């Protein structure tokens, strides 16, 4: 016996067979309903002669059952095989769902080709070869069409057809990347048909009606290679739980936004716009505050002539906290010389350790020279042009720097 009977009779869970060979933990049978790993579907689990089956593989015209421990039976013995019902049923549902998803792809995607397929305990992946961008809307539509096809209770059937006949039928999808085993027998091919929905060459196990699949939830989308889009989905408890989680998140978001579930996207978009507007307002208000603070810096009569008339020895000098050097520098330049009677120089010192200094001059004083004197006295670095200069990393208390700037040069 070479082929598994599982694809033709996927409903069989228990059978008797004669042991043909025993090689360590590897056993072959006169016939088997265990499905060997292949075509993207994992190997069946279960028991053989009371011993757990660890793996099932198709090797050189034989289905090899690898047991979890040595069996104790010999060639010629009759043994009972029990296919694990939960896992097989899951695989049948998941596998058939992939055909239904591909059928949905036929209705939504351009230049469609089969790029691959695989089942794990948690999820199923189908790789679409398509020129269509599977964006969120397309993804949701795929899921909607799949669940619609499940509800429509479409019969699923399988038949063996001549390869030439099947290949010549453009309606049949060929999964060449994972169905090498099926294709190896070159004169015939097994075609699985979801009535009115999809036809594909496939050697896996399937349910007999789409309604057996139950709810299907799309999990994610990715790009495993050029021209390929991978869609991952779940059936069964994983599908149900994921849907509940998504629903819970959506309701929580709606509650937070104070809107109905259908209005969440609009509400989030509105909130983002409001946030941007507020950020703009905040920026301009901070600028106004900063300019006000710089304008409010005390005027220092450095030459003591007492007239405060804006000559080159009357400076605005003081500490400006809460803003970075660049912002303070811009504010200082906008303020200096804004009034013929205003002081000729603005020298602002940042707060905190290692403060910065910015100096803006209307012209009579060289701002770069002022910064040079500060860094020569206190360290740090900086420089600039006659009308504007700045320094940073000053190794002094801000008050000491202010006091230094308020002193006339020696
Ligand atoms: Zn299949």
């Amino acid at each position: 016996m070479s082929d598994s009977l599982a694809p033709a009779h996927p409903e069989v869970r228990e059978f008797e067979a004669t042991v043909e060979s025993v090689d360590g933990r590897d056993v072959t049978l006169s016939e088997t309903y265990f499905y060997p790993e292949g075509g993207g579907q994992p190997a069946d689990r279960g028991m053989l002669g009371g011993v757990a089956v660890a793996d099932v593989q198709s090797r050189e015209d034989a289905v090899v059952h690898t047991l979890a421990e040595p069996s104790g039976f010999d060639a010629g013995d009759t043994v009972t095989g029990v296919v694990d019902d939960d896992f097989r049923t899951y695989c049948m549902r998941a596998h058939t769902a992939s055909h239904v998803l591909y059928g949905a792809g036929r209705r939504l995607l351009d230049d469609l080709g089969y790029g691959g397929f695989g089942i794990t305990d948690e999820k199923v992946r189908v790789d679409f070869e398509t020129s269509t961008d599977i964006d969120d809307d397309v993804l949701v539509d795929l899921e909607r069409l799949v669940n619609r096809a499940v509800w429509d209770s479409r019969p699923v059937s399988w038949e063996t057809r001549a390869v030439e006949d099947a290949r010549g039928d453009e309606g049949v999808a060929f999964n060449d990347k994972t169905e090498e085993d099926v294709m190896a027998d070159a004169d015939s091919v097994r075609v699985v048909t979801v009535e009115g929905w999809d036809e594909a060459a496939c050697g896996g196990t399937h349910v007999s009606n789409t309604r057996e699949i139950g709810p299907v939830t799309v999990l994610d989308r990715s790009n495993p290679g050029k021209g390929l889009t991978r869609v991952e989905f779940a059936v069964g408890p994983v599908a149900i739980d994921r849907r509940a989680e998504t629903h819970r998140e959506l309701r929580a978001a709606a509650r937070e936004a104070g809107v109905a579930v259908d209005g969440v996207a609009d509400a989030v978009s509105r909130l983002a716009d409001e946030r941007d507007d507020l950020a703009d307002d905040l920026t301009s208000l901070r600028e106004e505050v900063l300019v006000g603070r710089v304008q409010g810096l005390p005027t220092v009569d450095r030459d003591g002539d007492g007239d405060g008339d804006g000559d080159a020895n009357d400076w605005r000098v003081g500490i400006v906290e809460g803003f970075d050097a660049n912002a303070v520098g811009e504010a200082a330049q906008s303020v200096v010389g804004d009034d013929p009677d205003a002081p000729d120089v603005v020298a602002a010192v940042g707060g905190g350790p290692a403060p910065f200094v910015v100096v803006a001059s209307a012209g009579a004083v060289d701002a770069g020279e002022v910064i040079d004197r500060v860094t020569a006295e206190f360290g740090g670095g900086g420089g600039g042009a006659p009308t504007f200069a700045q320094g940073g990393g000053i190794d002094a208390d801000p008050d000491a720097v202010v006091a230094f700037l308020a002193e006339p040069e020696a």
Side-chain angles (χ1 to χ4, degrees):
M1 176 65 222
S2 58
D3 290 336
S4 168
L5 296 169
H9 303 283
E11 71 288 352
V12 173
R13 294 290 182 274
E14 192 166 334
F15 64 97
E16 287 197 341
T18 306
V19 176
E20 284 198 335
S21 73
V22 178
D23 177 7
R25 294 188 289 124
D26 289 350
V27 177
T28 62
L29 302 172
S30 56
E31 62 177 36
T32 186
Y33 289 83
F34 277 95
Y35 182 80
E37 182 181 1
Q41 183 175 330
D44 272 332
R45 299 161 187 174
M47 307 288 282
L48 190 61
V51 183
V53 175
D55 194 16
V56 187
Q57 293 289 329
S58 190
R59 280 188 217 140
E60 296 169 7
D61 295 337
V63 176
V64 178
H65 311 74
T66 302
L67 304 181
E69 56 192 85
S71 66
F73 42 76
D74 299 308
D77 288 355
T78 298
V79 290
T80 300
V82 180
V83 175
D84 183 283
D85 181 45
D86 285 349
F87 189 64
R88 163 64 80 73
T89 301
Y90 165 73
C91 286
M92 288 163 63
R93 289 171 159 184
H95 195 142
T96 312
S98 78
H99 289 245
V100 174
L101 175 61
Y102 193 82
R106 289 176 187 269
R107 284 149 182 83
L108 295 176
L109 309 176
D110 297 324
D111 310 315
L112 184 62
Y114 217 115
F117 156 73
I119 300 175
T120 68
D121 285 25
E122 294 293 309
K123 61 191 177 186
V124 187
R125 68 171 173 85
V126 171
D127 293 344
F128 290 105
E129 224 174 62
T130 176
S131 59
T132 302
D133 175 24
I134 302 183
D135 60 16
D136 287 342
D137 284 341
V138 175
L139 195 67
V140 169
D141 245 10
L142 284 169
E143 183 186 70
R144 185 180 63 76
L145 283 188
V146 167
N147 284 295
R148 181 59 208 244
V150 168
W151 170 257
D152 286 344
S153 305
R154 295 175 180 274
V156 181
S157 59
W158 39 89
E159 60 171 348
T160 301
R161 288 169 64 176
V163 165
E164 300 226 335
D165 168 43
R167 284 271 182 197
D169 184 345
E170 290 199 349
V172 178
F174 276 82
N175 181 4
D176 290 321
K177 288 184 180 63
T178 56
E179 290 300 323
E180 284 159 18
D181 296 345
V182 181
M183 297 299 142
D185 184 8
D187 50 340
S188 68
V189 63
R190 193 160 171 276
V191 175
V192 175
T193 302
V194 179
E195 193 177 282
W197 194 255
D198 188 71
E199 282 186 302
C202 184
T205 59
H206 306 83
V207 296
S208 57
N209 189 293
T210 56
R211 65 173 167 256
E212 294 176 56
I213 295 168
V216 175
T217 302
V218 165
L219 304 175
D220 217 343
R221 159 200 55 208
S222 58
N223 293 92
K226 192 169 159 44
L228 288 178
T229 304
R230 173 166 298 173
V231 174
E232 292 180 325
F233 67 88
V235 298
V238 175
I240 294 163
D241 291 350
R242 173 60 78 94
R243 190 164 299 182
E245 280 163 28
T246 308
H247 194 180
R248 189 177 293 118
E249 277 296 312
L250 179 61
R251 288 203 165 268
R255 202 166 57 237
E256 287 291 328
V259 297
V261 163
D262 289 345
V264 168
D266 283 346
V268 170
S269 163
R270 201 165 55 241
L271 287 169
D273 287 347
E274 285 174 15
R275 180 205 56 204
D276 291 346
D277 289 348
L278 288 170
D280 289 347
D281 288 352
L282 182 61
T283 301
S284 56
L285 284 170
R286 278 179 61 84
E287 282 166 8
E288 279 177 37
V289 165
L290 177 55
V291 167
R293 282 197 199 166
V294 171
Q295 277 173 331
L297 289 176
T299 302
V300 177
D301 177 15
R302 297 171 82 247
D303 61 357
D305 68 0
D307 62 3
D309 63 355
D311 71 24
N313 278 301
D314 292 333
W315 292 14
R316 280 175 175 151
V317 180
I319 296 171
V320 176
E321 297 201 67
F323 295 88
D324 66 30
N326 289 337
V328 177
E330 275 177 31
Q333 290 175 86
S334 76
V335 163
V336 76
D338 59 354
D339 174 342
D341 295 330
D344 207 41
V345 172
V346 173
V349 180
F356 62 81
V357 180
V358 302
V359 176
S361 167
V365 170
D366 186 321
E369 285 178 11
V370 176
I371 292 298
D372 289 346
R373 284 200 295 116
V374 170
T375 54
E377 178 75 12
F378 298 110
T387 55
F388 180 73
Q390 69 183 77
I394 311 294
D395 183 20
D397 184 80
D399 289 325
V401 181
V402 169
F404 176 80
L405 287 164
E407 290 287 318
E409 290 100 287

